[in-house]
Amino acid sequence: AQKVTQAQTEISVVEKEDVTLDCVYETRDTTYYLFWYKQPPSGELVFLIRRNSFDEQNEISGRYSWNFQKSTSSFNFTITASQVVDSAVYFCALYSGAGSYQLTFGKGTKLSVIP
Amino acid sequence: KAGVTQTPRYLIKTRGQQVTLSCSPISGHRSVSWYQQTPGQGLQFLFEYFSETQRNKGNFPGRFSGRQFSNSRSEMNVSTLELGDSALYLCASSLWVDRDETQYFGPGTRLLVL
């Protein structure tokens, strides 16, 4: 069975601080995909990144970076120099299940960036 | 380019009724997926369609069904509504470029079952 754990339910940081959102996943498959999504207060989901299990390279996109470590089954997301617009709920998700792929979401981490 | 559109945006139904939600993907996108979001269960995957074929289905009862048309527009149907079906239903269309996928989400349909 697949499982995604986002242990941090809520995080508050002051603007310009760096913040890391943790994601730990469980799967028995060797081929899988990991995602991060952002859901601002408006409610519309925003796709941030998709990473496959064979690509452990860290990814950087502007102030966002992702650290994928298969050894610890983690796919953590860091926002550098946070801004108020980063306030949102962030979801990590796992797509796996050879033969019948399922997309499993974590419970989400609510990030509040205080000005 | 128009984004993903979902209709209706809000819907109120009563238990036992059925409902059909519509999703129009971004032009040129052939993959559409549906998700349900509730306060209790969080985000859950419903189905994924590609070129009119259902590729994957989440763990939902048979009351939840969907289809995709030749123009890539998709509908999902929920029959015999239950109170627990009250949720935000999100649709996403995907663009595949060189085996890399980017998803674009619609604003969602908020369904309230009374």
Side-chain angles (χ1 to χ4, degrees), chain A residues 30-43:
Chain A
T30 55
T31 301
Y32 52 89
Y33 301 86
L34 294 162
F35 299 78
W36 274 97
Y37 300 90
K38 173 183 180 181
Q39 189 171 41
S42 62

Side-chain angles (χ1 to χ4, degrees), chain B residues 2-81:
Chain B
V4 178
T5 57
Q6 292 187 246
T7 56
R9 292 292 311 279
Y10 303 92
L11 203 49
I12 300 176
K13 292 284 189 179
T14 56
R15 277 184 302 174
Q17 286 187 310
Q18 76 165 24
V19 66
T20 299
L21 311 182
S22 179
C23 172
S24 293
I26 292 172
S27 178
H29 291 195
R30 295 163 64 188
S31 174
V32 172
S33 50
W34 289 89
Y35 306 85
Q36 181 198 63
Q37 187 174 26
T38 61
Q41 298 298 316
L43 268 168
Q44 297 185 87
F45 167 71
L46 278 159
F47 354 81
E48 179 191 6
Y49 288 89
F50 184 84
S51 293
E52 302 179 66
T53 301
Q54 186 180 86
R55 287 210 294 197
N56 291 298
K57 187 177 191 300
N59 294 323
F60 278 82
R63 300 185 297 107
F64 290 81
S65 62
R67 58 179 175 168
Q68 187 182 31
F69 301 96
S70 58
N71 61 359
S72 293
R73 189 177 71 85
S74 177
E75 288 181 349
M76 66 162 282
N77 183 277
V78 187
S79 62
T80 319
L81 284 166

Side-chain angles (χ1 to χ4, degrees), chain A residues 33 35-37 39 42-52 89 91 95 97 99-107, chain B residues 4 35 37 40-45 48 55-59 88 90 96 99-108 110:
Chain A
Y33 301 86
F35 299 78
W36 274 97
Y37 300 90
Q39 189 171 41
S42 62
E44 194 161 330
L45 264 181
V46 177
F47 167 89
L48 295 177
I49 191 170
R50 173 183 183 267
R51 171 68 72 224
N52 75 56
V89 180
F91 294 95
Y95 187 67
S100 179
Y101 276 84
Q102 293 286 316
L103 183 63
T104 304
F105 288 87
K107 294 295 185 185
Chain B
V4 178
Y35 306 85
Q37 187 174 26
Q41 298 298 316
L43 268 168
Q44 297 185 87
F45 167 71
E48 179 191 6
R55 287 210 294 197
N56 291 298
K57 187 177 191 300
N59 294 323
L88 177 65
L90 293 162
W96 288 85
R99 299 176 67 182
D100 201 16
E101 178 193 19
T102 302
Q103 291 180 307
Y104 299 85
F105 284 84
R110 194 167 292 278

Side-chain angles (χ1 to χ4, degrees), chain A residues 34-96:
Chain A
L34 294 162
F35 299 78
W36 274 97
Y37 300 90
K38 173 183 180 181
Q39 189 171 41
S42 62
E44 194 161 330
L45 264 181
V46 177
F47 167 89
L48 295 177
I49 191 170
R50 173 183 183 267
R51 171 68 72 224
N52 75 56
S53 53
F54 300 108
D55 182 2
E56 282 193 79
Q57 275 191 326
N58 290 335
E59 176 89 10
I60 297 176
S61 177
R63 296 184 297 106
Y64 295 169
S65 62
W66 290 269
N67 180 255
F68 177 26
Q69 290 195 336
K70 287 175 78 170
S71 61
T72 55
S73 296
S74 65
F75 187 44
N76 297 336
F77 172 35
T78 297
I79 302 175
T80 302
S82 59
Q83 300 176 0
V84 173
V85 293
D86 296 327
S87 296
V89 180
Y90 291 85
F91 294 95
C92 178
L94 166 69
Y95 187 67
S96 69

Side-chain angles (χ1 to χ4, degrees), chain A residues 5-16:
Chain A
T5 302
Q6 294 181 256
Q8 304 149 309
T9 305
E10 292 193 41
I11 301 176
S12 289
V13 298
V14 176
E15 201 171 18
K16 297 184 182 176

